[in-house]
Amino acid sequence: MTGSTGDRLERIRGLSDLLRGVRTAGLIPSCGTIPLLAENLLAKAAAYAHRIKRSYLVIIFAGGTGTGKSTLFNALCGTVLSAAGSARPTTSAPVVYAHRIAGFIETRPFDIPAVFTPAILATNDTSNRENGGWSVIEHERQDFRHLALIDTPDVDSLVKHHKSITEKLALMADAVVFVTSQEKYADAEPLNYLANIAAEKIPWYVLFNKTDPRANSTDCEAILETKGIPAAGTRLFVIPYIVPMTPESIEKTEEFRRFSRLIQRELSPSRTAVELSKNRRRQKMSLIRDCTILNDLLNEERIAAESWIDELHSLGDIAGRSLVDAWESRFDRRHEEQVSRAIRRIYQRYDFLARPRRYLRRIVTFPLTFFGLLRSQDKENPLDALQEVPKHIDVTPVCTAVNALQRSVLSQLSPKDSEAPLYSALREPLRSLSDGEVRQFMIDRQEELASWLAESIKELTRGISKTKEIGIYTTSFIGAVIILSFEVILGGGITVLEVLLDTFLAPVISSGSVNVFAYGEVKTTLRRLNERYREVLTEIVDLQIKRYEQCIHSVLTQTEVVSALRNSMKVLENDDD
């Protein structure tokens, strides 16, 4: 893909923005690699952008504490620029030696502050070293016009920030000068650093410093090979221990001169463009390789997350069914009777013998009521009774079921590693519904149910359909005629006693027919109430499930980021080197 430098830098900035959005839930065994890989890729992207912008080569001096790294750096620069020390870490921030026209401060990578430091003040200026910033010493030497030499903090420093800076600086290197000593050459941490340099195929040189005059490179080469670093051969230089150990005295040694000549030959001005292009391509391929690994890990975790969500819904289904079963087993019979009584009263408006029956009932029961032997019926409003039905339902089983679901999620779906982001996210206070939230939710929904029941009853009072209305009248009338006809046929006439009996029997038949029709409406209303309450119970479980889904999505890399990252890799592959 062709494009201006600005276009290429813009694409790298887009890639960096995507990498900042990378997260991990902690669902796969290699989840710990994801944030580390994303952080390293951010540094690689910054270093790659730096390579695109600059026209000079970068040489990094790296090594362990007390190896004489800064002294050798000063020797190659030909002047004392970086403070040296024999035991404690002396270089706490990068010291840069670059040509004035290189514009290192303007093109520098990473979020590290930089200040211009005059060469004469370099070894005494500690302000920028203390805050970890660049100390940039500019020069006008024509032989180093194409180079920027950087002295770095010790790779085995106990200060974590120092090690982080040195690892980042290696990413921008066109060559690394690794300094070790007879005391430190077998130390694991510095050797691991060099092994990583070799793995990234960054050109490297090893200065075996402060050695016994009788020592040779054989022991050092053997140690390097155990770390997978190929035999150094002509790239290993044995610098003898001399007194005093100063840049001037080191410059005079044959091994250091051989090293200096090799640097000038392999990294000459005529090779700058070739080396820059080669190293840009090397770093681009490294970016693509690591992005591919990251993308594969993110896809693996996405699949694990989908399985996690499926298991979450399975737990939710179990909780929902258990809750509905528990609720149905607790539904009080008196609730059904309240609904039935209210609806029968509505239908009694269409019972043409209801009024005579009530009149006779008052006559018959008056003595009993008068003497307190029978309680008079309250004239309660059926709508008031109906509105109380859902409010009397106990929500304790709902709280119990939600709490059981929460325990199941934590015991069955939470990562075992307490350091996993999902482990902490699941236990955040707002992730689980509290009993108070559950009760308030149920109160709100019960009020909605009460309103629905009241409206249903009002609809019935506005008039029952003509079909049902005629049916009630017809059934009541036929029942009365059948009784009278039967009495005439069997008894040959209706006496005063027979009429009195019919007066009591006909209302019974009429009332029974009304109850038959009322029972159908009772069933319909109760069925609707049951369905609505099932929805409420399912909704409270779904609400908890939704919170847990939001929880896992909050710690996962978004699907859009993964897709965009994959597309960015394809674009990067086609970028011109």
Side-chain angles (χ1 to χ4, degrees):
M1 177 182 291
T2 58
S4 66
T5 298
D7 292 337
R8 297 174 69 186
L9 292 174
E10 185 61 35
R11 289 193 286 271
I12 295 171
R13 279 192 289 271
L15 173 62
S16 298
D17 289 341
L18 292 173
L19 291 169
R20 292 186 185 95
V22 170
R23 297 188 293 270
T24 178
L27 292 175
I28 59 177
S30 53
C31 62
T33 306
I34 292 177
L36 296 177
L37 193 54
E39 183 180 358
N40 189 48
L41 276 166
L42 270 171
K44 282 189 176 182
Y48 182 57
H50 180 248
R51 289 184 190 280
I52 293 174
K53 290 187 289 184
R54 63 180 164 92
S55 59
Y56 54 86
L57 300 174
V58 173
I59 302 175
I60 299 290
F61 274 71
T65 304
T67 58
K69 169 177 56 64
S70 296
T71 302
L72 293 172
F73 170 80
N74 291 334
L76 186 62
C77 293
T79 184
V80 178
L81 301 174
S82 186
S86 60
R88 65 182 180 83
T90 306
T91 308
S92 57
V95 178
V96 182
Y97 188 57
H99 197 280
R100 178 179 55 80
I101 66 171
F104 183 88
I105 292 179
E106 291 75 23
T107 61
R108 72 188 188 280
F110 315 126
D111 296 326
I112 303 176
V115 295
F116 167 73
T117 306
I120 195 171
L121 300 176
T123 57
N124 298 321
D125 182 13
T126 61
S127 59
N128 217 39
R129 297 176 184 180
E130 290 173 355
N131 63 26
W134 304 89
S135 289
V136 181
I137 300 115
E138 294 184 336
H139 63 80
E140 295 190 4
R141 290 176 52 179
Q142 290 304 305
D143 56 337
F144 277 8
R145 182 173 181 170
H146 63 296
L147 299 176
L149 280 65
I150 304 178
D151 187 20
T152 66
D154 301 329
V155 298
D156 57 355
S157 173
L158 296 178
V159 181
K160 186 177 180 180
H161 180 60
H162 292 176
K163 295 167 65 175
S164 175
I165 291 175
T166 303
E167 289 169 357
K168 285 183 176 180
L169 293 176
L171 298 173
M172 61 185 286
D174 295 294
V176 172
V177 178
F178 181 77
V179 181
T180 186
S181 65
Q182 197 159 334
E183 299 85 6
K184 306 279 287 189
Y185 73 91
D187 286 5
E189 197 158 9
L191 285 176
N192 288 337
Y193 175 87
L194 181 57
N196 291 334
I197 295 296
E200 290 289 339
K201 301 187 183 306
I202 301 173
W204 51 271
Y205 308 85
V206 175
L207 299 185
F208 192 11
N209 194 30
K210 298 192 292 185
T211 62
D212 187 299
R214 295 166 296 180
N216 56 50
S217 62
T218 304
D219 290 342
C220 186
E221 285 186 357
I223 292 295
L224 294 179
E225 289 179 356
T226 63
K227 290 293 183 179
I229 305 169
T234 57
R235 310 187 77 78
L236 176 61
F237 305 88
V238 180
I239 311 295
Y241 181 79
I242 53 179
V243 180
M245 198 74 175
T246 63
E248 293 80 12
S249 62
I250 289 174
E251 282 185 87
K252 297 175 183 178
T253 65
E254 180 56 34
E255 280 291 274
F256 187 81
R257 288 178 180 178
R258 186 168 69 89
F259 160 69
S260 181
R261 288 193 298 268
L262 184 62
I263 286 283
Q264 292 176 27
R265 183 173 66 251
E266 293 188 343
L267 302 177
S268 65
S270 63
R271 291 189 56 82
T272 298
V274 174
E275 291 297 320
L276 281 174
S277 177
K278 180 182 69 176
N279 290 330
R280 273 197 297 267
R281 178 165 181 76
R282 170 182 57 76
Q283 192 152 53
K284 185 182 78 170
M285 298 310 295
S286 177
L287 261 175
I288 293 171
R289 180 197 66 212
D290 287 357
C291 277
T292 302
I293 295 172
L294 177 62
N295 194 71
D296 290 344
L297 288 173
L298 293 177
N299 284 327
E300 183 183 350
E301 184 160 66
R302 175 63 55 181
I303 293 171
E306 290 173 356
S307 176
W308 189 93
I309 291 173
D310 288 342
E311 293 182 45
L312 175 66
H313 281 281
S314 295
L315 291 178
D317 291 342
I318 294 171
R321 287 194 298 269
S322 299
L323 184 53
V324 168
D325 291 344
W327 175 77
E328 288 183 339
S329 66
R330 292 175 60 89
F331 192 80
D332 200 323
R333 185 71 182 177
R334 70 173 180 273
H335 296 151
E336 183 178 349
E337 293 172 355
Q338 287 176 338
V339 177
S340 300
R341 186 168 62 251
I343 294 175
R344 281 199 302 270
R345 288 180 180 177
I346 293 168
Y347 274 98
Q348 284 170 1
R349 291 171 50 190
Y350 300 92
D351 183 3
F352 71 94
L353 293 177
R355 182 174 296 178
R357 188 166 62 251
R358 287 195 298 271
Y359 176 74
L360 290 173
R361 184 170 59 246
R362 279 197 292 269
I363 293 175
V364 173
T365 60
F366 175 75
L368 298 176
T369 304
F370 180 79
F371 289 105
L373 299 176
L374 181 66
R375 183 177 299 176
S376 60
Q377 294 184 351
D378 296 332
K379 296 181 180 180
E380 62 179 9
N381 187 341
L383 297 183
D384 293 338
L386 281 173
Q387 288 175 318
E388 292 300 317
V389 169
K391 294 182 180 180
H392 289 305
I393 298 175
D394 186 11
V395 299
T396 300
V398 182
C399 294
T400 301
V402 172
N403 290 337
L405 171 60
Q406 293 165 353
R407 289 192 298 271
S408 296
V409 169
L410 292 181
S411 63
Q412 298 180 39
L413 298 184
S414 173
K416 303 305 179 187
D417 183 6
S418 60
E419 297 297 321
L422 182 58
Y423 181 95
S424 302
L426 286 172
R427 289 162 175 78
E428 291 174 356
L430 297 180
R431 296 299 182 187
S432 298
L433 288 169
S434 65
D435 286 353
E437 287 178 305
V438 173
R439 292 182 188 280
Q440 187 59 52
F441 177 90
M442 297 303 295
I443 289 172
D444 293 340
R445 294 301 184 271
Q446 287 171 2
E447 289 177 354
E448 293 174 8
L449 279 176
S451 299
W452 171 78
L453 284 169
E455 187 61 31
S456 297
I457 297 302
K458 288 178 182 178
E459 283 295 323
L460 291 174
T461 61
R462 293 189 185 106
I464 303 171
S465 68
K466 292 298 181 182
T467 302
K468 291 181 180 179
E469 186 174 318
I470 293 172
I472 291 172
Y473 283 136
T474 302
T475 304
S476 299
F477 177 74
I478 290 175
V481 170
I482 289 175
I483 291 173
L484 292 175
S485 299
F486 185 69
E487 291 292 339
V488 169
I489 293 171
L490 294 181
I494 300 177
T495 63
V496 175
L497 180 59
E498 289 171 341
V499 171
L500 182 61
L501 291 174
D502 287 342
T503 301
F504 283 95
L505 288 175
V508 172
I509 298 298
S510 175
S511 176
S513 64
V514 171
N515 285 335
V516 168
F517 283 92
Y519 180 64
E521 203 66 33
V522 168
K523 287 197 299 182
T524 300
T525 302
L526 290 179
R527 191 179 300 116
R528 289 175 181 171
L529 174 62
N530 185 57
E531 290 172 355
R532 283 177 174 266
Y533 209 77
R534 277 175 176 265
E535 292 172 1
V536 170
L537 297 175
T538 303
E539 188 179 356
I540 189 67
V541 172
D542 288 345
L543 180 58
Q544 180 60 83
I545 294 298
K546 184 177 180 180
R547 286 199 182 184
Y548 283 139
E549 282 191 27
Q550 292 171 340
C551 175
I552 192 170
H553 286 307
S554 71
V555 293
L556 275 178
T557 302
Q558 298 302 308
T559 305
E560 297 79 6
V561 172
V562 178
S563 177
L565 188 61
R566 184 168 54 250
N567 292 334
S568 292
M569 284 191 296
K570 293 178 181 178
V571 173
L572 192 60
E573 287 176 352
N574 297 322
D575 254 349
D576 294 331
D577 296 323

